[in-house]
Structure formats: C-alpha cells, structure tokens
Amino acid sequence: MRKEIIELLKKENKLSDEAISELKDINIHDFSEIIEEIGTQPTEHIKASEISKDLDTTWAGKNLYVFDEVKSTNTVAKFLAMNGAENGTVVISEKQTDAKGRSGKAWASPIGGIWLSLIVKPNVDYSKLPMITIGTGVAVAKAIERTGITSAEIKWPNDIIIHDKKVCGILTEAVTTFNTIDSVIIGVGIDANIDIEDFPEELQDGTTTLANELGRKEDENVLIRLFLEEFEKIAETFNNGDYESILKDWRKRSYSVGKIVEVREPFNKNFDAYVVGIGREGALIVEKIDGTLEKVISGECIIKK
C-alpha cells in the first residue's frame, strides 16, 4: 500500500524526488488529506457532482473521491479507511492499472468501466463477511436491472453474469486491528461502456459489457448512483438482521444453483459437485459425487455444465 500511495502522490506532482527519498523517515499516513484533495480534482469522464446531483441516499456516497488513474481503488480506499474515512465513503477511478480480483487474479480496468470501492463499517464479525459480498451482488444486479437489462444473474460468490458472460466482479476485503474488523472495503468493477476488443484477448469470449447488452452506452455517473442507492437499501436490510430477504433476492437471480461445478477451495483439493443452494450465512451448499452435502465458505466455483 505504501508504494502505491507514494506513486500516486508522485504522479500528481505532490512529492518531489528529493522528498520521496526522505519518505523512509516520514509516516505515509500524514498524506491522507492530500490524497483526498487529489480525489476532488476535476476528472474527464466520471464526475462526483453528476453522481451526487440526484443521489437518494442517507450515507452511501456522501463522500466521493474520483481519480483519473490509480493502481487499485481498493488500495486507496483501504488507505483512507485507516485514516478516518467515514462510513459510506466511495473511491472511484476512471482507470486502474494494477487491479486485482479474487485470489490475486489480474483485473482489466480500462476507461469506460466503473471501478469503485466503498468503505463500510458494519460492526460485524468475520462470519458475516460472505453475506456482505452476497448483498453487494444483489445491489449490483438491481442497479443493472434499472438500466433496462432483465437478465442479470449472480454467480457465487462475486460475479454478475449476463447471457453466460461476466459483466461485473466484486472483491471484499476487511481492514482489521488484531481480531476486530474496523471497516470493510467493497471493490466493484462493472464493464459498462468498454469495447470488448479493449480487454485482453484471453478474456474476450467470457466477457460482456452493459453497452453491448443494451445496444447503447449507459451514463457511468447514473449507474454509480443507482448502485449506491441499491447498496444502501441492502445495507439497511443487513443491519436489521434480515438476511433471509437478501438471500431471497439472491436466489431469484442465481446463476450457480442447479449447475455442475468444480469447487476450488483454499488449501483443499478441487472437487466436482452439484450446486443445491445457498445457506443463511452466505455459504454455497453443494452435493458431492458421493451424495454428501458440503458448505463452501470461500473459494470459487467453475461452471462445468
């Protein structure tokens, strides 16, 4: 994180080479206000004023920081969260140059997409983190549906699928002190108005964009506003402990249930299974070849058929 923050400060001419050479003796967290200042400078494509203009939320997105380019919005959001950023603060970048998805996979983030990270402080323990990812997926799907697309589905645990192709990924990370969760960073990447040809060749067959599905471009500022409104509704439901309502919305849009998948869990052998459903805590319920049921709490499921 330190290296990325220093590079951002240097790119924006906030630090000289001489100052950078002396940074080993300086607390990088002293620069949080400068990072916030950079995030309020004018940008070309995504504008905080356009997002805020008709934003119907109480706390989500009330503090918006928009950058023209960062390595990762999750890293910048994590830095701000560690330096007192309020619940609902959003970090957006028109382009990411070194973004990561789950399991450290590279995430292509050219101009034309929506690359944002949301800081939330839900006051929960680790067992509830999967439900935050589940709820975010529902919020993204509902926001996409408000653009006129009726076929958005959710692939456990963190992808939004349209017509069997990925249009969005979600990465949830906790900022902790010892065993306490101080805040949760929710990274959301939506392929909005990108040309498929702008993606790496190996990703093109399995990827779609909202513009491709709609036959027109969708205003990124409007889509961000729609997501923040839907997310706040889901968050309030989550805070009230009504997880079943969130799971009900997820099940209606499930891409995974009823499919044969290859389950890949950290530190475990991969295995094939049939997806039965999703549990109350957000774990995927699968039936293994021998007929036993198993909860998959983390990892990924590769659709086989």
Side-chain angles (χ1 to χ4, degrees):
M1 180 174 69
R2 178 184 175 87
K3 181 180 177 182
E4 291 188 25
I5 296 301
I6 290 174
E7 289 183 5
L8 177 56
L9 291 166
K10 184 177 180 180
K11 182 178 78 71
E12 297 292 336
N13 297 316
K14 297 297 182 179
L15 285 177
S16 65
D17 289 336
E18 293 78 11
I20 290 173
S21 68
E22 298 174 1
L23 267 178
K24 61 183 179 180
D25 301 320
I26 301 175
N27 187 342
I28 189 63
H29 296 286
D30 292 339
F31 293 92
S32 60
E33 291 185 3
I34 299 179
I35 296 297
E36 291 177 351
E37 176 192 329
I38 295 170
T40 58
Q41 293 175 354
T43 44
E44 183 176 355
H45 303 283
I46 297 177
K47 302 183 184 299
S49 59
E50 290 297 311
I51 298 168
S52 300
K53 184 169 59 177
D54 297 313
L55 182 63
D56 184 17
T57 62
T58 301
W59 51 267
K62 292 306 179 182
N63 292 319
L64 290 167
Y65 299 105
V66 184
F67 300 83
D68 59 356
E69 180 183 304
V70 300
K71 282 195 168 185
S72 164
T73 58
N74 262 31
T75 298
V76 176
K78 192 180 300 183
F79 175 77
L80 294 179
M82 295 171 66
N83 288 280
E86 295 181 3
N87 183 52
T89 296
V90 179
V91 173
I92 305 166
S93 186
E94 296 183 333
K95 179 181 180 181
Q96 295 181 115
T97 59
D98 192 28
K100 295 291 188 293
R102 286 176 63 88
S103 305
K105 294 179 180 178
W107 182 269
S109 312
I111 289 175
I114 292 171
W115 323 118
L116 68 80
S117 295
L118 180 63
I119 301 171
V120 295
K121 301 185 178 183
N123 190 28
V124 296
D125 58 34
Y126 284 94
S127 67
K128 294 296 187 294
L129 287 180
M131 276 301 302
I132 293 177
T133 302
I134 295 296
T136 303
V138 173
V140 172
K142 287 189 172 185
I144 289 174
E145 288 163 4
R146 288 173 65 179
T147 70
I149 292 174
T150 59
S151 52
E153 298 177 283
I154 308 171
K155 176 179 173 287
W156 188 94
N158 65 330
D159 293 338
I160 306 300
I161 306 293
I162 300 176
H163 297 138
D164 297 321
K165 295 188 176 184
K166 182 174 178 176
V167 75
C168 170
I170 298 162
L171 178 64
T172 303
E173 300 180 280
V175 178
T176 62
T177 302
F178 300 108
N179 292 322
T180 303
I181 296 177
D182 297 321
S183 55
V184 176
I185 311 301
I186 304 170
V188 176
I190 304 175
D191 302 327
N193 298 319
I194 308 170
D195 290 331
I196 298 295
E197 292 74 18
D198 289 341
F199 288 103
E201 187 173 346
E202 65 272 16
L203 299 179
Q204 292 179 13
D205 284 346
T207 301
T208 189
T209 69
L210 296 185
N212 187 60
E213 298 296 329
L214 288 166
R216 58 173 172 79
K217 289 190 174 183
E218 179 66 34
D219 188 328
E220 292 105 317
N221 299 293
V222 171
L223 187 57
I224 292 170
R225 172 174 60 79
L226 295 177
F227 165 68
L228 292 174
E229 290 174 355
E230 294 299 336
F231 180 86
E232 183 168 290
K233 294 174 189 174
I234 293 289
E236 294 304 313
T237 301
F238 178 92
N239 291 336
N240 291 332
D242 187 7
Y243 306 133
E244 189 54 43
S245 291
I246 298 172
L247 292 171
K248 182 179 179 181
D249 277 335
W250 187 93
R251 291 180 183 114
K252 286 193 301 186
R253 298 168 175 83
S254 173
Y255 181 78
S256 303
V257 173
K259 299 240 182 1
I260 302 294
V261 299
E262 179 185 351
V263 178
R264 299 178 180 177
E265 294 181 288
F267 313 114
N268 287 326
K269 281 188 174 182
N270 302 342
F271 62 90
D272 290 348
Y274 174 82
V275 179
V276 176
I278 190 170
R280 179 175 173 79
E281 70 283 5
L284 199 69
I285 310 299
V286 300
E287 182 179 351
K288 300 175 75 173
I289 300 301
D290 62 6
T292 60
L293 297 179
E294 182 164 326
K295 290 183 179 181
V296 182
I297 297 173
S298 63
E300 60 180 324
C301 292
I302 309 301
I303 303 293
K304 300 190 74 171
K305 61 180 179 177

